[in-house]
Amino acid sequence: MDQDKKQFLKRVKPLLEQEFGTSSEENGVVRVIARDLGFFAGNAIIEVNWVSYRQGAADPHPVLQFNCTLAKDIEDKEIPTMKEGLWELNKITLFGHYGFFKPLRQIYHCYRIPVNLREPDAMLAEITYILGQLKKQLNTFLDYVLMLAEGSETISLGEYMIGTNADQIIDEALSEMNTLFPNDRDQAQ
C-alpha cells in the first residue's frame, strides 16, 4: 500500500472511532466492533480497507471499502428467505448494499467510495457524512437483518419500516442528501 493511502487511512480511523468506538488496525485493515445498534442493541464488525481493481497499475482514484459483518453462521434452511429479504432491503438502501457471503455464511453490508487522494480534506468530509449515514442505516435495519438471519421473519420489510419509523429515517436521509448533493435539475430551479 502506498504512503498516501496509508496516511489517508490513518485519518479515517478517528472518524470511524467517533461514530462506532475504539478500533484496531492490522495489515491495512481498520476494524471496529460497533455495539448497541438497533432497537435490540446488536453488534456489527466494521472493516475499512482499500480495494484494488487494477492489478499492477496505479489507481487514479483508489477505492475505500466499508464492510460490515452483521450476522454469521446462517443455516442452509434460512438462506432462500434471507436472500429474498436482503433483496427487498437493497431496493430501499441509500448507501451500499446488503449481501450474503456464502463461504463464511455471513450477512454483510458493503459501501465503497472512490477516493481522490489529491483532495484529502474534501474526501474526509464526505467520509464523515457517509459514516454518519452508515450508523443511521445500521441502527435502522440491523434488527431486520438479524430476524432474517434467524429465520424468524414474522413481519414484512414494509411492516418493519412502519413499526420502527424507518420510512421517516430514509426520508430524512434523502432530504439531507439533496441538500448536500443537489443535482443539476435542483440547481437550475
Side-chain angles (χ1 to χ4, degrees):
M1 183 183 339
D2 70 26
Q3 199 59 29
D4 288 340
K5 287 182 184 178
K6 283 182 183 178
Q7 287 302 105
F8 191 83
L9 195 56
K10 281 185 181 181
R11 292 182 68 188
V12 169
K13 186 177 177 181
L15 302 176
L16 184 67
E17 290 180 344
Q18 184 177 344
E19 286 295 338
F20 297 106
T22 305
S23 69
S24 62
E25 185 176 352
E26 186 178 332
N27 299 324
V29 178
V30 177
R31 184 175 292 108
V32 63
I33 298 176
R35 300 185 187 283
D36 301 323
L37 297 170
F39 296 103
F40 298 109
N43 299 329
I45 299 169
I46 301 173
E47 297 174 317
V48 181
N49 62 292
W50 295 102
V51 178
S52 179
Y53 289 101
R54 302 177 81 181
Q55 296 284 336
D59 291 327
H61 289 89
V63 176
L64 195 61
Q65 174 176 268
F66 300 83
N67 192 68
C68 308
T69 302
L70 306 176
K72 61 181 185 172
D73 302 325
I74 309 301
E75 294 185 26
D76 286 338
K77 66 180 181 165
E78 310 306 343
I79 292 173
T81 304
M82 176 267 308
K83 283 184 173 181
E84 211 171 286
L86 294 178
W87 174 257
E88 293 299 316
L89 189 53
N90 279 326
K91 289 180 185 178
I92 61 164
T93 298
L94 298 176
F95 287 95
H97 70 279
Y98 293 88
F100 177 64
F101 186 61
K102 191 173 182 175
L104 296 178
R105 309 178 72 71
Q106 296 174 337
I107 297 175
Y108 65 88
H109 176 271
C110 185
Y111 182 77
R112 294 177 177 170
I113 179 171
V115 175
N116 182 349
L117 292 172
R118 292 182 301 261
E119 300 286 338
D121 292 337
M123 293 305 309
L124 288 167
E126 192 169 335
I127 287 171
T128 299
Y129 171 76
I130 288 166
L131 288 171
Q133 292 302 313
L134 177 61
K135 187 171 187 176
K136 284 181 188 177
Q137 187 166 304
L138 293 176
N139 269 324
T140 304
F141 293 113
L142 181 61
D143 296 322
Y144 182 73
V145 168
L146 294 176
M147 284 191 293
L148 291 173
E150 294 171 1
S152 60
E153 183 193 7
T154 56
I155 61 174
S156 69
L157 177 59
E159 291 167 330
Y160 175 84
M161 289 181 62
I162 291 168
T164 61
N165 296 322
D167 53 340
Q168 292 174 354
I169 294 166
I170 289 174
D171 288 344
E172 289 170 12
L174 282 171
S175 176
E176 195 173 308
M177 283 175 55
N178 287 333
T179 301
L180 291 171
F181 309 108
N183 63 34
D184 294 337
R185 180 176 32 97
D186 294 336
Q187 292 175 357
Q189 294 178 353

